[in-house]
Amino acid sequence: MIEKTVFKIIELIAGNTDEIFAFVNDIKIKYPKLDNDKLAKKVANKIKRKCAIQGGLMAFPGAIPGVGSMIQVGISVFDFSQLIKNQVYLIFSIGYCYGISDTDKLKTVTLKCFGSILGIDTVIGKNMLENLSDKAIRLMIKKLQKALVKKFFLNLIVKLIPFGIGIILASISHWIIIRRFQFSSIKFFHLLIEQDKSLPETKII
């Protein structure tokens, strides 16, 4: 199935899940009184700040017209790949805030989030416990390719604005993008938890 291939790609993008879980555990230890929702918000805020700083730093060459603009093109490719990685990192981190460490469930929510952000909710469905159809994933990949190209060039244009304006706009853009994934993932993790609760308990004979 296409889903297995996409899951493998998500796994590679996410990287070491133990490091992601350790990041969340450190915050849990630091703020032991936070409930799951507040913990997820705290985690998301840290990742948003990191991404905003990253976006601003990666826009520095574009502030210098000429040579800086040419350098900016190459840096923007790396910056955009890191932004995607941070989106997946955010979703996995928030999932762990709700006690979900099953990587298949985390990958499913990641797919659902990207589908929701791309505006194909009607195709991906609301049932978090069902696998996505090949049709839905193909549509998602098609839309994702178009969206990535569009967003890459938009981010590049923003970073090429001189006099430091591009740096500020790049930071804001990264923060807004991660914020959208924050709210989308929280919504889907709540759905997943509710649907898990509605399943009948397996009786051991």
Side-chain angles (χ1 to χ4, degrees):
M1 281 181 65
I2 301 176
E3 188 177 48
K4 289 183 180 179
T5 303
V6 175
F7 270 19
K8 189 63 181 177
I9 293 171
I10 293 173
E11 184 181 328
L12 291 172
I13 294 173
N16 190 338
T17 52
D18 288 340
E19 290 181 5
I20 298 174
F21 298 158
F23 162 67
V24 176
N25 282 330
D26 286 343
I27 299 175
K28 280 183 179 180
I29 293 169
K30 193 173 181 181
Y31 303 97
K33 294 183 180 180
L34 294 181
D35 61 24
N36 292 343
D37 287 327
K38 290 180 180 177
L39 179 64
K41 184 178 179 181
K42 178 72 70 175
V43 165
N45 285 340
K46 285 184 176 292
I47 297 173
K48 279 189 291 189
R49 282 196 294 270
K50 173 189 170 185
C51 289
I53 293 169
Q54 174 190 301
L57 290 175
M58 293 291 181
F60 264 96
I64 307 169
V67 177
S69 299
M70 290 187 287
I71 296 172
Q72 186 64 66
V73 175
I75 291 178
S76 290
V77 175
F78 172 75
D79 176 44
F80 203 67
S81 66
Q82 285 299 111
L83 180 59
I84 294 172
K85 183 176 179 65
N86 286 330
Q87 289 166 359
V88 177
Y89 188 97
L90 171 86
I91 296 167
F92 275 52
S93 298
I94 289 178
Y96 194 62
C97 289
Y98 292 101
I100 299 169
S101 58
D102 184 320
T103 53
D104 282 341
K105 289 183 179 180
L106 293 172
K107 292 171 193 173
T108 298
V109 172
T110 301
L111 272 179
K112 297 274 186 177
C113 283
F114 274 93
S116 177
I117 297 296
L118 292 172
I120 53 173
D121 303 68
T122 54
V123 180
I124 63 175
K126 292 184 178 180
N127 192 334
M128 297 299 300
L129 303 176
E130 286 184 0
N131 293 331
L132 290 176
S133 66
D134 285 355
K135 177 186 175 183
I137 295 176
R138 285 195 184 96
L139 179 58
M140 191 180 297
I141 292 171
K142 186 178 179 181
K143 283 213 169 194
L144 183 60
Q145 288 172 336
K146 291 180 180 178
L148 288 180
V149 171
K150 183 179 178 181
K151 287 187 178 297
F152 171 76
F153 282 107
L154 182 62
N155 282 334
L156 178 58
I157 290 169
V158 165
K159 288 180 174 66
L160 291 175
I161 300 174
F163 311 117
I165 298 173
I167 296 172
I168 296 170
L169 291 178
S171 295
I172 294 171
S173 173
H174 276 49
W175 189 89
I176 290 173
I177 289 170
I178 294 298
R179 185 172 181 267
R180 289 185 69 194
F181 276 88
Q182 171 192 348
F183 291 133
S184 178
S185 61
I186 288 173
K187 178 186 75 174
F188 282 120
F189 280 119
H190 274 291
L191 281 173
L192 180 62
I193 291 167
E194 287 302 313
Q195 289 176 17
D196 266 336
K197 286 179 181 177
S198 67
L199 288 177
E201 292 184 9
T202 304
K203 294 181 180 180
I204 300 174
I205 300 173

